[in-house]
Amino acid sequence: MEAKDFALRLAKLRAQKGVTARDMSLSMGQNPNYINHIETGRTLPSLTGVFYICEYLGVTPSEFFDEDNKNPKKLDEITRDLRRLSPAQLETVAALVKQLAGK
């Protein structure tokens, strides 16, 4: 993932959470422009900063860097719910997902 991709991913996940860059920065104990500087490409966070960003957004680093996962929080929520289903229910859900995905 390149720096610009990191910035875009951060902006997208932050927007999904519904918080401003300033509010996120302050909530993380950073200066008010911290997230804005990352999203505009002026700086990159340290590795520790990446972990704090992921923690704030409620995603794992793996989910953050998985650009194909458009909504990691929702997918994680669905996965938790799927684990509680019976095998027959899982088969039904699998068939529905395949149909929705056009497979």
Side-chain angles (χ1 to χ4, degrees), residues 2-76:
E2 295 184 27
K4 66 179 178 170
D5 299 321
F6 183 93
L8 290 171
R9 181 72 167 160
L10 172 57
K12 182 175 184 173
L13 294 176
R14 179 186 54 74
Q16 284 179 358
K17 188 171 176 90
V19 296
T20 66
R22 183 180 194 282
D23 288 342
M24 183 174 170
S25 297
L26 294 173
S27 293
M28 292 176 56
Q30 298 293 329
N31 74 61
N33 295 317
Y34 176 70
I35 296 298
N36 182 270
H37 286 173
I38 296 170
E39 289 182 357
T40 59
R42 294 173 83 186
T43 189
L44 282 173
S46 66
L47 182 57
T48 302
V50 171
F51 289 130
Y52 284 134
I53 287 168
C54 290
E55 182 179 335
Y56 180 85
L57 294 172
V59 299
T60 66
S62 176
E63 291 168 333
F64 183 94
F65 289 102
D66 182 0
E67 296 175 80
D68 292 332
N69 187 348
K70 305 297 183 208
N71 196 335
K73 286 192 68 135
K74 181 54 75 178
L75 188 58
D76 186 50

